[in-house]
Amino acid sequence: MNILLTAINAKYIHSNLAVYSLRAFVPECFRDSVEIAEYTINHRLEFILQQLYKRAPDVLCFSCYIWNYDYVREIAAEYHKLRPDVPIWVGGPEVSYEILQMFKENPAFFGVMIGEGEAAFAGLVAYYCGGRRGELSAVSGIAFRRETYAARRRIALGEDVSDCQPGTGQDGEICQTTSKEPFDFDSIPFCYENMQRFENRIIYYESSRGCPFSCSYCLSSADKRLRFRNLSLVKEELSFFMEHNVPQVKFVDRTFNCNHAHAMAVWQFIKERDKGITNFHFEIAADLLTKEEISLLAGLRPGLLQLEIGVQSTNPKTLEEICRVTDLSKVQSAVRQIQKAGNIHVHLDLIAGLPFEGYWRFRESFNDVYAWKPEQLQLGFLKVLKGSLLYERRSEYGLVYRERPPYEVLRTNWLSYDEILLIKLVEEMLEVYYNSGQFEVTMKLLDVVYPDAFGFFLALGQFYEKNGYLERSHSRIRRCELLLEFAAKDGRIPKELLEDSLLYDLYYRENMKSRPYWARNPAEFANVTRTVCKSGKLSHVEPFFYRFPGKEEKTLDALPKRLANEVYVLFEYKKRDALSHQAKTTELTGFGEEGIK
């Protein structure tokens, strides 16, 4: 028996914790019958179909999410044409709600594992690998087509099935079993023993399940069964990651610090066992951070941790409506304290399209959170997810959203589609010029002359759109040229200053192979380069007429003044910042006008 668990990830660097966890939970006597196949949405559908066909599974299973559901549906439909005798099972958040409708829309699907999948999948494996002893309806937490099930049993017995019609998914033709009570979370074996297949990929890890909060847009609010993995197991498993020099481990815990003792124990353990290589990512509620936790975080190696904090909105009425219990003053204070230590990457989230937040109020939320100067500000758009409370109230809120995944909002009672398109321009420019980290110094200068950050990104996006620049991909140097073109028409910042800052940012990130048109000829300061650049391509020196803000300066009160004499800055690429990965910079002394011969 060959049961194939299939994952279609968003990117190659991602891995799918679900399929590995499902396999690990299967009794050891059957585990060799379960194989895993991982692909990405960047693979051609035909390629995935061919690969699955060649593997010839007896049972084919898919892990379904909003980013891959359309792929799964199409692949399953085509595979079912080729191998109608192979039952296709699906599981995951995308197929765990509105079961009858899901079957009706997907005639190729034979069955679904509903909700938490380990016990259901283990029951299916025992059913198929155990010679189909007993009834499929005895497996808990599943739904399947009655007629298809009966036909396949008769096929297995060599009986004629010409009189069997495939199930249509209508009410009464689907068999759904009840789920068991939550099983012991510690009973799931560690699933990462073989690290070869995870080389150069992000590892996802789970130390708790469920969420204590009730945010109406989130599926986690549907599961209040909050459970924590035993700390002795967590420490043992985290040690394994660090001993194997895993580059990054992302905790998928919905609110990692909802249990103070658990969070402190994990963070303290990571601090003590740190080898200087592994980075750990956590989603937290910043307003729950205690003084003790903030103090511990401040003492960690720079780059050891990164924190993702969902702010979502700064509108109190919106937060109340979506059942999000948040003390924004505490969130801001915690973010400031974390940033003060300068050792942790802070990622803040906003959602456009929430109830009671129109265009101008969202603009205010954006500017509020942008002013906190996180390392990244993710501007997302509301996804109307089946199973969420917000989905149940979609008519009340006037939510119009995409029919297909990712079910992104198109308009609401408070936000028009025209306004959403404006916010999308802001999102595009935010990603390019802020979240990329490639314009760190220049953004600090622009913030001085554009106090309305939303307005700046919108104006820049409209400039891109008007000139047809959104339709093309651009190099980093070209992005600099476009910003210069935009700023020249606006006139708020001196051209020479912006050229210097952009040149600084270019070399801050890498030793450029080509130089922008406004840069000086390197031959003019070749003697300085020969004197100070002892590391070849791993260092670079460049003259500037301005002194630019350092890492510790999150914001500026005024633009820097032009110097009487240019200064030389050494960029060292072997010594990079642990958070931004920018080169170490040093202003050189002893090189004035006489240094250029």
Side-chain angles (χ1 to χ4, degrees):
M1 179 63 62
N2 175 14
I3 300 174
L4 187 61
L5 279 169
T6 308
I8 303 177
N9 302 322
K11 297 179 180 179
Y12 171 77
I13 197 172
H14 297 168
S15 58
N16 187 300
L17 174 59
V19 293
Y20 291 97
S21 183
L22 291 179
R23 185 180 185 277
F25 197 72
V26 170
E28 193 170 349
C29 59
F30 297 136
R31 202 171 297 160
D32 287 344
S33 297
V34 180
E35 296 182 1
I36 290 174
E38 285 192 271
Y39 306 97
T40 78
I41 59 175
N42 295 315
H43 283 114
R44 290 181 297 109
L45 290 174
E46 184 180 3
F47 171 79
I48 300 176
L49 177 65
Q50 291 172 357
Q51 294 301 305
L52 294 178
Y53 181 82
K54 290 176 181 178
R55 296 188 70 154
D58 299 301
V59 181
L60 179 59
C61 307
F62 289 97
S63 177
C64 301
Y65 301 88
I66 57 174
W67 64 79
N68 72 6
Y69 189 47
D70 278 340
Y71 283 74
V72 170
R73 293 183 65 191
E74 186 170 348
I75 292 168
E78 301 304 329
Y79 191 88
H80 184 61
K81 294 175 185 176
L82 297 169
R83 294 290 307 276
D85 57 312
V86 174
I88 297 176
W89 286 84
V90 293
E94 189 54 30
V95 291
S96 290
Y97 302 92
E98 299 190 348
I99 302 299
L100 294 178
Q101 184 65 25
M102 186 271 298
F103 275 116
K104 186 184 299 184
E105 294 173 353
N106 298 281
F109 293 174
F110 171 50
V112 57
M113 293 166 273
I114 303 168
E116 193 171 44
E118 282 89 353
F121 182 69
L124 288 177
V125 172
Y127 168 77
Y128 284 113
C129 293
R132 294 179 172 82
R133 296 187 181 91
E135 291 292 324
L136 186 56
S137 56
V139 179
S140 64
I142 64 170
F144 59 92
R145 299 180 185 276
R146 291 181 187 274
E147 289 84 356
T148 310
Y149 163 60
R152 283 173 177 148
R153 281 187 63 84
R154 289 167 65 177
I155 289 173
L157 296 173
E159 299 176 1
D160 177 49
V161 293
S162 58
D163 61 329
C164 283
Q165 298 298 318
T168 62
Q170 299 295 333
D171 193 13
E173 296 181 350
I174 299 297
C175 177
Q176 182 170 340
T177 67
T178 58
S179 299
K180 291 181 179 179
E181 287 299 309
F183 57 86
D184 181 5
F185 192 27
D186 294 339
S187 65
I188 302 177
F190 187 56
C191 61
Y192 286 114
E193 293 180 356
N194 179 7
M195 295 303 296
Q196 288 185 343
R197 67 189 306 164
F198 298 103
E199 190 173 355
N200 300 319
R201 300 172 74 187
I202 297 171
I203 295 294
Y204 293 89
Y205 180 76
E206 188 176 30
S207 75
S208 68
R209 276 190 185 174
C211 183
F213 302 112
S214 303
C215 304
S216 64
Y217 57 85
C218 181
L219 287 181
S220 296
S221 63
D223 185 2
K224 297 299 179 187
R225 302 170 297 183
L226 184 58
R227 290 165 288 161
F228 293 87
R229 197 161 174 81
N230 188 284
L231 277 171
S232 62
L233 287 176
V234 173
K235 292 177 180 180
E236 179 182 337
E237 290 159 1
L238 295 183
S239 290
F240 178 87
F241 295 140
M242 289 186 276
E243 288 167 4
H244 284 79
N245 296 327
V246 171
Q248 186 175 54
V249 176
K250 281 196 171 186
F251 276 64
V252 297
D253 303 43
R254 301 311 303 160
T255 307
F256 176 76
N257 64 322
C258 64
N259 181 305
H260 169 70
H262 181 82
M264 282 293 293
V266 171
W267 285 338
Q268 183 64 43
F269 180 79
I270 289 173
K271 177 181 179 180
E272 293 170 356
R273 297 299 181 92
D274 177 34
K275 293 175 60 180
I277 296 173
T278 306
N279 165 267
F280 293 90
H281 176 104
F282 299 90
E283 292 186 37
I284 67 164
D287 52 334
L288 295 184
L289 286 172
T290 66
K291 290 182 179 179
E292 185 181 14
E293 289 169 350
I294 291 175
S295 176
L296 173 59
L297 293 173
L300 300 178
R301 166 180 64 84
L304 175 59
L305 256 62
Q306 61 187 50
L307 301 178
E308 182 173 352
I309 300 167
V311 182
Q312 318 312 8
S313 171
T314 63
N315 182 5
K317 190 171 184 179
T318 294
L319 294 174
E320 180 182 0
E321 186 67 18
I322 63 174
C323 308
R324 186 168 180 82
V325 182
T326 302
D327 186 326
L328 288 173
S329 62
K330 286 185 177 180
V331 173
Q332 183 177 5
S333 175
V335 169
R336 294 289 191 218
Q337 292 179 71
I338 293 169
Q339 290 175 325
K340 186 177 180 180
N343 63 331
I344 292 177
H345 174 106
V346 177
H347 176 140
L348 302 182
D349 296 333
L350 280 175
I351 298 177
L354 292 172
F356 293 102
E357 187 155 69
Y359 173 77
W360 290 101
R361 188 55 187 83
F362 178 78
R363 185 170 180 154
E364 186 177 337
S365 287
F366 180 94
N367 285 336
D368 288 341
V369 177
Y370 182 85
W372 301 354
K373 290 296 178 288
E375 275 66 40
Q376 275 202 319
L377 171 54
Q378 180 174 311
L379 195 173
F381 292 82
L382 178 66
K383 311 295 190 296
V384 185
L385 303 176
K386 295 174 184 177
S388 68
L389 177 61
L390 191 140
Y391 175 81
E392 299 300 324
R393 302 179 68 177
R394 61 193 183 279
S395 297
E396 176 185 344
Y397 295 142
L399 300 180
V400 176
Y401 54 94
R402 290 174 56 183
E403 199 67 27
R404 304 299 313 154
Y407 312 112
E408 189 173 282
V409 69
L410 297 173
R411 70 169 184 262
T412 75
N413 284 341
W414 303 271
L415 195 64
S416 70
Y417 186 56
D418 287 319
E419 291 167 334
I420 282 179
L421 292 180
L422 295 179
I423 297 173
K424 283 190 173 290
L425 288 178
V426 172
E427 178 201 26
E428 178 84 14
M429 296 298 100
L430 179 74
E431 288 298 315
V432 170
Y433 287 101
Y434 186 84
N435 287 340
S436 69
Q438 296 177 359
F439 301 88
E440 180 181 316
V441 170
T442 301
M443 285 309 308
K444 291 177 183 178
L445 304 185
L446 291 167
D447 287 344
V448 175
V449 297
Y450 296 96
D452 175 8
F454 186 99
F456 163 73
F457 288 116
L458 176 59
L460 183 57
Q462 290 173 324
F463 164 78
Y464 262 69
E465 185 176 48
K466 179 181 178 181
N467 292 280
Y469 298 144
L470 287 177
E471 304 163 12
R472 313 168 203 167
S473 59
H474 303 287
S475 66
R476 288 186 63 216
I477 289 180
R478 182 59 180 151
R479 294 286 189 190
C480 293
E481 292 172 352
L482 296 180
L483 190 56
L484 283 170
E485 184 182 342
F486 168 80
K489 294 183 178 180
D490 190 271
R492 298 194 196 185
I493 188 167
K495 181 175 182 242
E496 185 184 50
L497 170 58
L498 193 56
E499 287 178 341
D500 252 20
S501 70
L502 288 169
L503 184 63
Y504 193 101
D505 277 325
L506 286 169
Y507 281 104
Y508 213 0
R509 178 55 62 94
E510 62 179 312
N511 196 347
M512 301 293 295
K513 294 180 180 179
S514 57
R515 289 169 66 78
Y517 69 81
W518 65 88
R520 294 267 296 278
N521 187 335
E524 296 180 24
F525 52 92
N527 61 324
V528 180
T529 301
R530 285 192 297 269
T531 302
V532 301
C533 292
K534 304 297 184 182
S535 303
K537 294 182 180 179
L538 294 176
S539 61
H540 176 78
V541 69
E542 192 73 35
F544 298 97
F545 273 105
Y546 296 88
R547 286 194 173 92
F548 295 112
K551 299 286 182 187
E552 67 286 349
E553 297 176 86
K554 290 285 185 181
T555 59
L556 297 176
D557 295 326
L559 295 176
K561 302 296 184 182
R562 191 181 192 280
L563 302 172
N565 296 309
E566 58 192 357
V567 295
Y568 286 86
V569 175
L570 175 65
F571 297 85
E572 297 179 87
Y573 303 104
K574 287 195 299 185
K575 303 174 182 178
R576 293 183 178 271
D577 182 86
L579 301 188
S580 67
H581 306 294
Q582 309 281 41
K584 178 184 177 182
T585 60
T586 306
E587 183 179 319
L588 304 176
T589 58
F591 295 99
E593 287 293 327
E594 68 280 1
I596 306 174
K597 302 293 185 184

